[in-house]
Amino acid sequence: MRIDRAGWPFITGPLAPAVALGLLARLTGRRAPRAAVWQLLGLSAYMALFFRDPQRSCDTAPPGPDDVLSPADGVVMVAGPAQEGVGPEPAPEGGWQQVSIFLSVVDVHVNRSPYRGTVTRTSYTPGSFLAAYRAESAHRNERSEIWLADGDRTVVFRQLVGVLARRIVTRTTTGAQLATGERMGLMKFGSRMDVFLPADATVVVRERQRVRGGESVIARFGSGGRP
């Protein structure tokens, strides 16, 4: 299983003292504090699980040219017109549509680009750490916003922190070229992803649906847009 490089400090942090306790017990002939060792090993195993970075279908076969993929694993919270006061500015003709995905602490937290194109704008906004499932978290929480342009198509997506997530990792910059489903960052410990689409895209997911980053189609452009 591939592990994102941001996870290694969190994996080795509890693993190192667990190994040290085991070695010390062996050298001194004393019994290691078994409960502490197992707790440290369990924490290290969870960190490996949290920072796992599995292969997805977009890594082996290019998605359809009109497909917008989920940028993360999780449960769809919003699927339809953008919530009032949440969509990015300026808005395109017809307004934004919105797909919001909530990530639990057991979901894969590696983030992927929902669509292809050139990164035309990025921004980072410090803010609160409200629960990511609350509507107001979209404009009050700490977040990173990325604008993608491919011809006359624009897709905007946001990484938002939550109660536990306190760090956003964004691995793209203005001018970069992203492919649909390409890895572009992660969020640490529970968070939310928002995707904003113009009116000529059709949202094909529903609220409370579970999606997989880099695999689940959440919207389609043009004639490919069919529920």
Side-chain angles (χ1 to χ4, degrees):
M1 172 66 70
R2 172 173 168 167
I3 302 294
D4 188 273
R5 63 180 184 271
W8 287 112
F10 295 89
I11 296 168
T12 58
L15 183 61
V19 172
L21 285 172
L23 290 174
L24 181 63
R26 187 167 185 175
L27 291 172
T28 60
R30 298 178 181 177
R31 294 184 62 181
R34 186 173 299 178
V37 170
W38 280 112
Q39 287 171 3
L40 290 167
L41 290 175
L43 180 58
S44 181
Y46 169 73
M47 291 301 175
L49 178 71
F50 181 87
F51 287 101
R52 68 195 185 278
D53 181 10
Q55 290 284 99
R56 293 290 163 84
S57 59
C58 64
D59 298 321
T60 56
D66 295 326
D67 290 351
V68 181
L69 300 185
S70 176
D73 289 20
V75 175
V76 176
M77 301 165 46
V78 178
Q83 297 173 305
E84 186 176 354
V86 169
E89 294 294 341
E93 184 177 351
W96 292 108
Q97 299 182 80
Q98 178 181 348
V99 176
S100 295
I101 300 159
F102 176 73
L103 294 75
S104 76
V105 293
V106 296
D107 284 317
V108 173
H109 273 61
V110 172
N111 302 151
R112 294 170 178 267
S113 178
Y115 197 61
R116 66 179 185 272
T118 303
V119 178
T120 60
R121 188 190 315 175
T122 62
S123 64
Y124 168 78
T125 304
S128 304
F129 299 96
L130 301 176
Y133 55 78
R134 293 173 57 177
E136 59 267 34
S137 68
H139 55 84
R140 290 181 56 185
N141 280 20
E142 182 174 326
R143 59 197 178 275
S144 176
E145 184 174 283
I146 298 100
W147 288 63
L148 275 176
D150 180 55
D152 59 354
R153 296 176 176 179
T154 298
V155 174
V156 182
F157 60 107
R158 290 179 184 152
Q159 301 168 287
L160 291 100
V161 298
V163 173
L164 295 178
R166 296 300 172 116
R167 174 111 188 261
I168 295 172
V169 178
T170 304
R171 295 175 180 145
T172 190
T173 57
T174 301
Q177 295 286 328
L178 292 179
T180 304
E182 181 178 345
R183 297 171 177 86
M184 49 66 58
L186 80 159
M187 295 174 289
K188 296 178 181 178
F189 309 114
S191 32
R192 166 177 168 169
M193 294 286 293
D194 287 347
V195 181
F196 297 95
L197 304 145
D200 61 341
T202 301
V203 173
V204 298
V205 289
R206 62 187 183 278
E207 293 182 8
R208 294 185 293 278
Q209 179 179 338
R210 173 158 283 279
V211 291
R212 285 164 60 89
E215 287 191 351
S216 301
V217 177
I218 60 173
R220 289 188 176 95
F221 280 100
S223 59
R226 56 186 184 281

